[in-house]
Amino acid sequence: MQLFIQQIINGIAVGSIYALIALGYTMVYGTIRLINFAHGEVFMLGAFLGAYFMIQLGLNLWVSLLAVMFVCACIGMSIERIAYKPLRHSSRIAALITAIGVSYLLQNLMIYFFSPEVKAFPAPIKVTVYKIFGLILTSKQVLVFILTIALMLALYLIVHKTKMGLAMRALAVDEEAARLMGIDVDRVISFTFALGSALAGAAGVLFALYYNSLSPLMGTAPGLKAFIASVVGGIGSVNGAMVGGYVIGILETIMVYFGMSAYKDALVYLLLILILLLLPAGLFGKQLKEKV
């Protein structure tokens, strides 16, 4: 039983990172109904930027994290302006294909400049092991817990307590009505991409720090699982994205507990299929009717 609880703790740590990435997917989709498949690569860029700021510039973890979030926010806004904005009123398949294209472009650019080999991530903190009632908790896990909770709380305050957050929620309900009410739709969409990309960048640093690895391909699997987490929770729902991330993380570690780590990815995709069959709108999503 103790080992099972230990795996739950490990799953919450991994699920926290998935939740941060999933928030970017769900905010962008909730605002402009676009699945930004380049989001996983922004996550990867965040990890590389974190390593650069710490190794080359000698910055500490906290300053590096803030710098990463700022740069990734700018990258997210640039991607939206260059790749997505011209296709905003095109078919959804065109925007989807463009998102996949941007994803592969960023991934291959990083492979060209840094090679596809896995590199070690710098260790900005001393790893300390705490034993509480026989359970093991590392300083890395504590850092992940604290930062993800702080970032999620900040996101909640932005979405629910600011004028920009109110504009985001209005745009998610009806873009045309929001435009008629005087809301600058382009500015709100750019802000949404910036916010989601900043969270993805922070998640990239935490992921690379937690697993001590860095690779141009590192955004593919976590990005896809975070997308599944947003679908499971109800894509477009911020609360759903957070819950979905934790569900995926805990599910993976439980599979490790039962000695079936080789099948943990298969179980995640099976969960996605079951959710789409039984709850197409996800756990917290709302069933929307579209006019044809």
Side-chain angles (χ1 to χ4, degrees), residues 232-256:
V232 168
I235 192 161
S237 168
V238 172
N239 294 334
M242 291 189 285
V243 172
Y246 287 115
V247 168
I248 298 298
I250 292 172
L251 190 63
E252 285 189 345
T253 53
I254 288 177
M255 291 295 287
V256 174

Side-chain angles (χ1 to χ4, degrees), residues 146-160:
I146 293 174
L147 281 178
T148 50
I149 290 172
L151 289 172
M152 288 177 185
L153 179 60
L155 176 66
Y156 174 84
L157 293 175
I158 290 172
V159 172
H160 293 278

